């Protein structure tokens, strides 16, 4: 259901539509916790022992686990049901957005023009070319993706993502669904106390739910978000205005922005890199390096790399790359982020990585304690969307 | 699929996912049957929630007795509205079959491919 949406772009779902959403949330919880647990049991008790008996060793990596478990009936049901719940997430919210399409667009325009609560801005470009790796795909099976447009001042796909994410996350993303960046930015501020950013950029910002928490941490900073989706940046701006948070949104490609050299103190992204091909991620790192002031920091919230996870967890997290229309996910998780970041020009050995406990789940004290701890933890809860999720992020200094 | 897409405010959306569909079972049609079963389960839950709401409200207000439901005959208008809803109900449950057909007319020019299978 969509209770986490409490801003002025909220749409009215009928009772039956809310019931469908309620069912999808229950089904996702069942698939990601129960069925996933059953599949792990099959792996531990049958598939892995059979592998060890045949090969005289344990599987070396995620692909070996994948290849072995693929023939198990539970893998097939887990996978088929996960795909179906994923599609049902979006389908459960689309009828209300479809009904209110034009009114939603008008409301977004009014919010964007109103300056009584916030003074943010939004810019879109009618000639903007969405990168083909995005335009040719319905990323994570979301029909229309982030960018498709049908009407004037179209915010539809922003609304589909916002409402769908609310169903998808079944409360795990906390108030306003900002828990990831809320937790990561709080951790960052507590650990890097010397950092006093004046200008912050969020790459692939979608709804702005990864942009606005930075303004809460650093109220005097100028906060910007970019996204290739016109409907997303319009929606993000209207959402920010509704919440009374001043932020600036731009339809731009994170790899080729229009900002000046050395104009930002923090360049951040949240759940963005894994949706980008590796060669373009390298371009994003180079662009971030160009945009950062000397001493500035690049930060990315992401899924943990395969080098940090067990073979089974590697298989489990890479599942989306094969079956959830997120084909670039595995190459990103296989990559050596530290080497790629240094190749983009960042200061040698300035790479860092951390795991921030979710403030929503574990509270402020756990988050502050973790901020004083060193290094990322190898924890099977990292990156999983299930009970007890933890947030992994990495970065480097210029 | 939407109940009242003729509304002037509405903007028709594409519900089918673009590109190649995922398949997990060797036997033909099993993947579709999983989707259909899940759609059925979802719609059953919708009914159960509505039924529960109805029973709670009826009990609270003391307006319904068991025979009131059992003996009810639908009016022509009620029947027409229910029949229309029934068609939407069926379309939602069997959505996967419509998607199969729609995927043949909405192929992307060049869908980025997943990593090679292990």
């Amino acid at each position: 259901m969509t209770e986490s949406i409490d801003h002025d772009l909220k749409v009215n779902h009928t009772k039956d539509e809310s019931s469908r959403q309620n069912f999808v949330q229950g089904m996702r919880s069942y698939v990601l916790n129960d069925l996933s647990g059953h599949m792990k049991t099959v792996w531990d008790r049958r598939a892995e022992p059979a592998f060890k008996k045949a090969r005289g060793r344990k599987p070396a990596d995620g692909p070996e686990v994948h290849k072995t478990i693929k023939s198990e009936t539970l893998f097939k049901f887990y996978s088929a049901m996960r795909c179906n719940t994923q599609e049902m997430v979006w389908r459960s919210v689309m009828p209300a957005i479809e009904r209110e399409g034009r009114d939603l667009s008008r409301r977004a325009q009014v919010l964007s023009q109103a300056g009584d609560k916030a003074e943010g801005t939004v810019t879109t470009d009618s000639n903007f070319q969405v990168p083909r790796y995005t335009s040719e795909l319905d990323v994570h099976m979301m029909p229309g993706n982030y960018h498709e447009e049908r009407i004037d001042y179209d915010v539809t796909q922003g609304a589909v993502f916002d409402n769908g994410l609310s169903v998808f996350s079944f409360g795990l993303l906390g108030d306003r669904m900002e828990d990831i960046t809320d937790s990561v930015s709080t951790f960052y501020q507590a650990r890097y106390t010397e950092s006093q950013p004046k200008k912050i950029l969020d790459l692939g910002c979608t709804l702005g739910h990864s942009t606005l928490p930075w303004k809460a941490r650093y109220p005097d900073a100028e906060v910007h978000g970019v996204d290739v989706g016109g409907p997303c940046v319009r929606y993000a701006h209207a959402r920010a205005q509704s919440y009374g948070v001043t932020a600036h949104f731009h339809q731009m490609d994170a790899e080729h922005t229009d900002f000046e050299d050395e104009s930002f103190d923090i360049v951040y992204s949240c759940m963005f890199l894994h949706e980008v091909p590796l060669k373009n991620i390298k371009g994003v790192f180079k662009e971030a390096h160009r945009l950062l002031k000397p001493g500035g920091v690049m930060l990315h919230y992401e899924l943990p790399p395969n080098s940090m996870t067990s073979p089974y967890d590697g298989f489990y997290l890479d599942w989306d790359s094969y079956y959830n229309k997120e084909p670039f996910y595995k190459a990103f998780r296989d990559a050596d982020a530290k080497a790629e970041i240094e190749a983009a020009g960042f200061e040698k050995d300035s790479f860092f990585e951390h795991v921030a406990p979710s403030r929503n789940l574990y509270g402020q004290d756990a988050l502050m304690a973790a901020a004083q701890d060193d290094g990322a933890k190898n924890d099977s809860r990292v990156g999983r969307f299930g009970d007890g999720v933890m947030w992994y992020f990495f970065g480097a200094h210029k | 699929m939407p109940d009242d897409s003729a509304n002037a405010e509405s903007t028709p959306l594409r519900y089918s996912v673009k590109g190649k569909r995922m398949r997990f079972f060797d036997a033909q049609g099993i993947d579709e049957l999983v989707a259909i079963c899940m759609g059925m389960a979802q719609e059953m839950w919708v009914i159960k929630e509505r039924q529960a709401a109805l029973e709670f409200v009826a009990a609270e207000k003391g307006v319904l007795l068991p025979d009131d439901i059992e003996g009810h005959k639908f009016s022509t208008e009620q029947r027409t509205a229910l029949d229309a809803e029934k068609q939407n109900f069926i379309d939602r449950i069997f959505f996967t079959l419509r998607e199969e057909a729609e995927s043949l007319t909405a192929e992307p020019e060049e869908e980025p491919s997943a990593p090679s299978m292990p």
Side-chain angles (χ1 to χ4, degrees):
Chain A
M1 302 205 279
T2 59
E3 285 88 353
S4 55
I5 300 175
D6 58 355
H7 52 71
D8 294 318
L9 294 176
K10 189 174 178 64
V11 293
N12 293 303
H13 302 281
T14 65
K15 176 161 173 41
D16 286 2
E17 287 161 3
S18 293
S19 295
R20 272 179 212 115
Q21 293 158 10
N22 184 13
F23 173 85
V24 174
Q25 290 181 320
M27 187 55 85
R28 268 183 60 73
S29 177
Y30 169 74
V31 172
L32 295 177
N33 291 307
D34 301 69
L35 213 47
S36 153
H38 302 332
M39 182 167 72
K40 182 68 163 59
T41 302
V42 165
W43 172 252
D44 289 341
R45 299 199 181 169
R46 185 168 61 208
E48 189 182 42
F51 181 98
K52 283 197 279 194
K53 194 173 174 191
R55 308 276 192 95
R57 62 173 176 84
K58 286 183 165 190
D61 53 22
E64 277 198 344
V65 174
H66 188 178
K67 195 172 176 180
T68 308
I69 205 170
K70 240 172 26 171
S71 57
E72 291 288 346
T73 300
L74 253 162
F75 167 83
K76 295 177 189 218
F77 271 96
Y78 167 83
S79 301
M81 290 173 74
R82 244 195 95 180
C83 283
N84 277 288
T85 49
Q86 184 76 16
E87 288 199 57
M88 288 163 105
V89 161
W90 313 116
R91 292 208 304 269
S92 74
V93 301
M94 286 166 69
I97 296 163
E98 195 167 45
R99 277 195 303 274
E100 296 185 27
R102 290 179 199 283
D103 182 55
L104 202 52
S105 155
R106 279 195 293 273
R107 275 189 275 157
Q109 285 183 74
V110 169
L111 284 164
S112 288
Q113 287 158 10
D116 55 331
K117 289 200 287 184
E119 297 173 340
T121 58
V122 61
T123 54
T124 53
D125 176 0
S126 56
N127 295 316
F128 184 78
Q129 290 291 311
V130 175
R132 287 186 68 130
Y133 64 79
T134 297
S135 66
E136 289 297 325
L137 198 64
D138 277 343
V139 174
H140 41 60
M141 301 207 207
M142 181 168 80
N145 206 6
Y146 301 113
H147 65 283
E148 285 189 13
E149 302 196 32
R150 301 164 189 85
I151 57 173
D152 284 345
Y153 213 84
D154 200 332
V155 294
T156 306
Q157 292 307 126
V160 170
F161 188 51
D162 196 11
N163 284 267
L165 188 62
S166 182
V167 173
F168 174 93
S169 57
F170 51 95
L172 284 176
L173 292 179
D175 293 345
R176 300 183 181 184
M177 296 191 291
E178 292 184 349
D179 183 66
I180 296 177
T181 303
D182 194 30
S183 303
V184 168
S185 61
T186 300
F187 184 112
Y188 175 80
Q189 188 178 41
R191 188 172 179 95
Y192 299 94
T193 50
E194 72 287 359
S195 178
Q196 291 299 325
K198 293 185 176 64
K199 216 167 157 188
I200 300 168
L201 176 62
D202 179 21
L203 303 173
C205 65
T206 64
L207 312 169
H209 61 313
S210 53
T211 318
L212 304 195
W214 288 105
K215 189 72 178 168
R217 295 296 88 72
Y218 300 103
D220 296 332
E222 191 178 297
V223 174
H224 294 256
V226 300
D227 201 279
V228 296
C232 281
V233 292
R234 291 184 202 106
Y235 191 93
H237 180 233
R239 176 182 177 277
Q241 295 284 104
S242 175
Y243 282 140
V245 180
T246 295
H248 307 280
F249 295 93
H250 316 260
Q251 184 178 27
M252 287 185 195
D253 179 348
E255 210 180 337
H256 311 285
T257 72
D258 297 340
F259 301 114
E260 290 179 12
D261 293 358
E262 301 186 356
S263 50
F264 287 92
D265 301 284
I266 294 177
V267 173
Y268 172 72
S269 82
C270 177
M271 291 290 266
F272 166 65
L273 294 178
H274 72 264
E275 294 183 5
V276 177
L278 188 55
K279 76 177 170 70
N280 302 88
I281 291 175
K282 294 177 185 185
V284 169
F285 288 166
K286 282 185 183 150
E287 179 68 355
H289 187 266
R290 180 184 77 76
L291 294 174
L292 283 170
K293 297 173 191 169
V297 66
M298 176 173 78
L299 291 172
H300 300 282
Y301 163 75
E302 260 305 341
L303 295 146
N306 270 317
S307 59
M308 227 179 98
T309 53
S310 69
Y312 186 87
D313 287 336
F315 142 73
Y316 188 80
L317 292 177
D318 280 340
W319 181 95
D320 299 67
S321 196
Y322 297 97
Y323 307 116
N324 197 35
K325 301 269 181 196
E326 300 189 83
F328 314 119
Y329 194 116
K330 183 174 187 310
F332 164 69
R333 295 194 59 246
D334 283 343
D336 179 349
K338 181 174 184 291
E340 298 297 349
I341 282 173
E342 289 186 0
F346 282 84
E347 195 179 319
K348 194 164 166 49
D349 297 326
S350 72
F351 177 85
F352 57 83
E353 55 189 346
H354 299 290
V355 172
S358 155
R359 180 146 82 174
N360 181 42
L361 285 177
Y362 302 104
Q364 178 81 1
D365 290 348
L367 189 52
M368 298 310 269
Q372 306 311 321
D373 204 352
D374 286 325
K377 297 281 193 306
N378 189 348
D379 185 321
S380 66
R381 294 171 299 179
V382 174
R384 276 176 189 251
F385 239 90
D387 291 342
V389 70
M390 309 277 276
W391 311 126
Y392 168 80
F393 69 102
F394 65 90
H397 292 93
K398 177 172 176 179
Chain B
M1 187 157 71
D3 298 348
D4 53 356
S5 59
N7 186 322
E9 288 295 300
S10 73
T11 53
L13 299 179
R14 170 169 60 81
Y15 283 75
S16 294
V17 176
K18 195 155 68 175
K20 187 182 156 205
R21 305 183 72 201
M22 300 305 158
R23 299 202 161 274
F24 301 97
F25 295 92
D26 299 329
Q28 200 173 357
I30 302 297
D31 287 284
E32 281 77 4
L33 283 174
V34 172
I36 290 166
C37 288
M38 290 177 69
M40 289 284 276
Q42 185 184 34
E43 295 306 321
M44 281 175 67
W45 177 251
V46 171
I47 294 168
K48 284 176 82 71
E49 273 208 357
R50 185 162 279 274
Q51 183 76 23
L54 186 70
E55 288 174 11
F56 291 141
V57 172
E60 279 164 17
K61 299 200 172 203
V63 293
L64 276 183
L65 297 170
D67 283 352
D68 291 339
I69 298 293
E70 199 61 33
H72 177 74
K73 298 272 187 256
F74 291 115
S75 69
T76 306
E77 283 164 356
Q78 287 171 336
R79 187 77 259 168
T80 304
L82 264 179
D83 283 349
E85 174 51 25
K86 184 177 64 191
Q87 293 315 116
N88 282 328
F89 172 75
I90 291 169
D91 187 44
R92 277 195 293 274
I93 291 173
F94 293 93
F95 176 82
T96 187
L97 304 179
R98 172 149 70 90
E99 190 173 37
E100 174 78 35
E102 287 182 357
S103 71
L104 298 175
T105 58
E107 286 289 346
E109 286 172 28
E110 191 180 326
E111 183 182 11
S113 55
S116 55
M117 284 288 172

